[in-house]
Amino acid sequence: MRTTDPLAVVRNLGILAHVDAGKTTVTERILYATGTTHKRGEVHDGTTVTDFDPQERDRGITIFSAAVSCSWSGHRINLIDTPGHVDFADEVERSLRVLDGAVAVFDAVAGVEPQSESVWRQADRHGVPRLAFVNKMDRAGADLDAAVASIRERLHPAPLAVQLPVGAEDAFTGVVDLLGMRTLTWSDDGETREPAPVPDALREEALRRRRLLEEAVAELHPAALEEFCDTGALRTGTLAAALRELTARGEAVVVLCGSAYRNRGIEPLLDAVLAYLPSPLDVPPVRGTHDGAEQERLADPAAPLAALAFKVTATATGRLTYLRVYSGTIEQGDTVRDVTAGRAERVGRILRVHADRHTRLDRAVAGDIVAVVGLKTARAGATLCAPDAPLVLEPPGTAEPVVSVA
Ligand code: GDP
């Protein structure tokens, strides 16, 4: 990873979940924690900011994807909404394609449910590295260990819990971070307290779990195994680096827990997104075809443009085409080729979409996710390219009609 590269601080993130596991609430709390929204939207009163569409608010399910950018610890997180409902499988596929990493949300009582399994398999097919967030730890019957066991049994990667819950059900007030060996707690209204040392009552159990985590990681990761054999333990730095690599390879899933509803566990989740999920520089180059030949394009702003339109919405701002730029740079006024439709298009304003507003950009570069105004015909699924360097990122025929969002 080139750490000086501005792309190193970008995370293109999706939240995946079974309907009702809490995806909307987690998204909402992420936007709140990152200062993108200043008011906590509640799912039940229809004020959630990722749900742009009145129809969606009525139904209480997330139908339409939208990409929202927010900031956390000097990083930009582009949050891509993925529909959790099976009826929107194509849209889920398309949003999975533009992600570099995801958080899978589970219900702490139900654990892995049939629909979480199908979303998980879809993410497997797209090779999306994932973290697991066991939500609803405040519910009666919430059980992190049982949820972890169900991830192991039903989804098969090695689930590696990096937290120990503090308190249970109604009294779930925080977590022990097993890497930093510190306690993070939240007040009754969800405000974060300063990290504190692990209390004596939990110390032995925290050390036992840290040891189990080190053993599990050493078993999966050769360099970690070497250190473990040499010294009888793993340094936190080695542990974190190994977790990052195992996540990228899909061999393990880092498990965190919280209660989105009570605004508990969101900040550590965001820290884990930065620590363990890849930036656009860390993922393999995008592949496409031209004249029947496969090509690769690097996430390099100087390479020819290749971008995928993954969502088109008609809004008050105009027709918004959400793009994942895979390589090259796109600027306002550029002429690009919609390879899928076989037409040239003129790029209008380029927008970064926040929860409740847009900001204008002069350009967008490889790795970024933005919305473009002014594209007249490009549909979801279309590849946009430099006119002299065509490439198809998704086979023709998969493009879908415009979704109208008042
Ligand atoms: P989605 O369908 O996955 O987007 O789930 P929602 O975010 O809409 O949540 C489904 C229901 O679970 C709503 O009634 C939420 O208020 C509730 N919920 C979400 N997170 C939590 C949580 O942490 N604890 C509890 N007890 N309920 C939650």
Side-chain angles (χ1 to χ4, degrees):
M1 185 175 74
R2 288 168 281 167
T3 46
T4 52
D5 198 307
L7 284 183
V9 297
V10 173
R11 296 291 180 278
N12 292 318
L13 178 74
I15 312 286
L16 308 176
H18 177 283
V19 170
D20 245 28
K23 188 182 67 173
T24 309
T25 312
V26 169
T27 305
E28 192 56 50
R29 297 305 191 249
I30 288 177
L31 296 179
Y32 179 72
T34 56
T36 314
T37 50
H38 298 286
K39 173 169 69 87
R40 279 191 227 162
E42 301 293 343
V43 174
H44 54 80
D45 67 12
T47 60
T48 61
V49 286
T50 43
D51 294 352
F52 288 133
D53 188 84
Q55 182 192 9
E56 183 172 4
R57 292 181 188 187
D58 289 348
R59 289 207 211 156
I61 57 168
T62 305
I63 303 173
F64 299 116
S65 303
V68 179
S69 296
C70 50
S71 307
W72 184 252
S73 288
H75 289 64
R76 184 169 67 252
I77 300 178
N78 295 321
L79 200 55
I80 298 113
D81 191 21
T82 53
H85 200 275
V86 279
D87 290 353
F88 304 97
D90 281 355
E91 203 166 325
V92 181
E93 289 275 335
R94 192 166 291 122
S95 44
L96 284 173
R97 182 170 177 157
V98 301
L99 309 174
D100 297 319
V103 171
V105 180
F106 300 94
D107 179 318
V109 179
V112 176
E113 295 166 88
Q115 214 191 81
S116 9
E117 230 175 313
S118 56
V119 177
W120 188 271
R121 301 281 164 242
Q122 269 178 319
D124 275 344
R125 280 203 300 283
H126 288 266
V128 177
R130 267 147 286 170
L131 306 177
F133 183 70
V134 176
N135 188 32
K136 307 197 185 184
M137 287 295 292
D138 59 297
R139 278 186 67 193
D143 185 341
L144 177 64
D145 291 341
V148 166
S150 80
I151 292 172
R152 182 181 296 108
E153 281 155 26
R154 312 252 322 247
L155 306 177
H156 308 303
L160 301 170
V162 294
Q163 296 172 335
L164 166 68
V166 176
E169 301 178 350
D170 238 8
F172 169 73
T173 54
V175 293
V176 175
D177 159 19
L178 297 177
L179 271 82
M181 276 307 209
R182 55 191 194 142
T183 308
L184 306 167
T185 53
W186 293 273
S187 68
D188 282 348
D189 56 5
E191 295 305 317
T192 312
R193 298 200 177 98
E194 283 296 306
V198 181
D200 287 344
L202 288 176
R203 191 151 184 84
E204 200 177 317
E205 180 59 10
L207 287 170
R208 189 182 75 83
R209 292 194 179 223
R210 161 79 185 222
R211 179 82 189 166
L212 287 175
L213 178 63
E214 291 179 14
E215 284 170 8
V217 168
E219 226 170 79
L220 294 165
H221 192 278
L225 180 63
E226 203 169 309
E227 183 174 312
F228 194 79
C229 291
D230 284 351
T231 66
L234 282 187
R235 284 170 301 161
T236 299
T238 311
L239 193 54
L243 287 172
R244 189 180 166 88
E245 283 175 34
L246 293 168
T247 301
R249 297 205 291 265
E251 290 173 26
V253 58
V254 168
V255 183
L256 299 105
C257 66
S259 162
Y261 186 73
R262 298 201 179 179
N263 212 21
R264 292 176 183 176
I266 299 300
E267 296 94 340
L269 176 64
L270 289 166
D271 289 341
V273 165
L274 306 191
Y276 304 122
L277 293 179
S279 81
L281 292 174
D282 303 320
V283 297
V286 71
R287 301 173 81 88
T289 52
H290 176 53
D291 279 347
E294 275 219 356
Q295 283 187 14
E296 276 187 359
R297 292 275 171 89
L298 292 175
D300 178 356
L305 175 73
L308 184 76
F310 64 94
K311 181 79 189 178
V312 180
T313 57
T315 68
T317 317
R319 190 175 190 272
L320 279 190
T321 309
Y322 287 86
L323 295 183
R324 160 83 194 231
V325 184
Y326 284 98
S327 71
T329 299
I330 189 166
E331 293 195 24
Q332 178 168 353
D334 278 355
T335 299
V336 296
R337 182 137 192 96
D338 173 350
V339 191
T340 314
R343 279 198 207 99
E345 286 257 45
R346 192 69 183 271
V347 178
R349 280 173 295 151
I350 300 176
L351 305 175
R352 185 163 316 293
V353 180
H354 306 278
D356 49 0
R357 73 206 146 88
H358 302 140
T359 48
R360 272 180 82 160
L361 304 173
D362 294 332
R363 64 185 61 81
V365 298
D368 213 344
I369 287 186
V370 290
V372 169
V373 185
L375 300 181
K376 294 195 175 69
T377 57
R379 294 179 163 196
T383 307
L384 301 179
C385 280
D388 55 352
L391 181 79
V392 179
L393 295 174
E394 209 176 66
T398 53
E400 290 202 347
V402 177
V403 172
S404 189
V405 182

